[in-house]
Amino acid sequence: MHPALLATAIALPVALVVGVIVAAVIATRTPVREPVVVGAVPAPQSESAQCGRLLGALPESYGDYSKAALAEPAPAGAAAWQSDAADPIVLRCGLDRPTEFDQASPLNVVDDVQWFQVSGADQGLQSSTWYAVDREVYVAVTIPDNSGPTPLQSISDAVTATLPETPIDPNPIN
């Protein structure tokens, strides 16, 4: 057998195996996550002690979601979690009462927290924003529609543990 043919016969399988290994490493590598951009909204109580307690009690992860860095300038009273498969979960503390929240608004109780839901469907979003409306400060969390109940349940636990319950104060019906 000619030496060049022998070298090719040995090198080709080795190169194929190396290529498969490199492809597998690239495919299983965790993608680099960019910081989550959280837009500025009026949040007059975002630097309050209540929001500080809540932010300190939030877990590092919710199922497939893990705590994310916020892009600068990061607003006070905000936190976010990312998943490789979905939009981020974003929490805001210290917001004004939502304008849509009135005396006729339906509420959902999740682990002793009364939540008012605003669907993003009207804006073409596949997420909902949930407002805790029975606490000292308003808390909003935007959750992708396909994320399941775990994030809202875990956030409810943190809200219950850190923010005393207060009577709801909805807007009058217009």
Side-chain angles (χ1 to χ4, degrees):
M1 185 180 263
H2 192 272
L5 186 58
L6 182 61
T8 302
I10 294 172
L12 191 56
V14 170
L16 181 61
V17 168
V18 169
V20 168
I21 291 171
V22 168
V25 167
I26 290 172
T28 60
R29 230 165 73 194
T30 303
V32 175
R33 293 183 174 169
E34 295 295 321
V36 175
V37 176
V38 179
V41 297
Q45 296 180 28
S46 62
E47 296 186 52
S48 67
Q50 295 94 329
C51 288
R53 284 193 312 267
L54 174 62
L55 292 174
L58 295 169
E60 289 297 311
S61 64
Y62 300 116
D64 293 341
Y65 290 84
S66 58
K67 195 86 177 247
L70 299 179
E72 293 297 332
W81 297 262
Q82 288 177 315
S83 164
D84 293 336
D87 289 337
I89 295 170
V90 177
L91 179 134
R92 301 294 304 264
C93 184
L95 303 169
D96 288 327
R97 175 179 53 206
T99 55
E100 305 93 331
F101 177 52
D102 64 30
Q103 294 168 342
S105 297
L107 299 177
N108 295 286
V109 178
V110 178
D111 296 338
D112 298 324
V113 178
Q114 294 186 62
W115 293 95
F116 167 63
Q117 180 185 11
V118 177
S119 173
D122 292 342
Q123 292 89 22
L125 303 174
Q126 294 182 343
S127 62
S128 291
T129 299
W130 297 77
Y131 293 87
V133 296
D134 64 342
R135 302 295 151 163
E136 296 176 310
V137 294
Y138 287 100
V139 177
V141 61
T142 302
I143 302 174
D145 290 341
N146 61 351
S147 63
T150 301
L152 194 58
Q153 290 169 335
S154 295
I155 291 169
S156 293
D157 292 342
V159 167
T160 299
T162 59
L163 301 175
E165 186 176 358
T166 61
I168 63 170
D169 182 27
N171 290 309
I173 299 173
N174 291 333

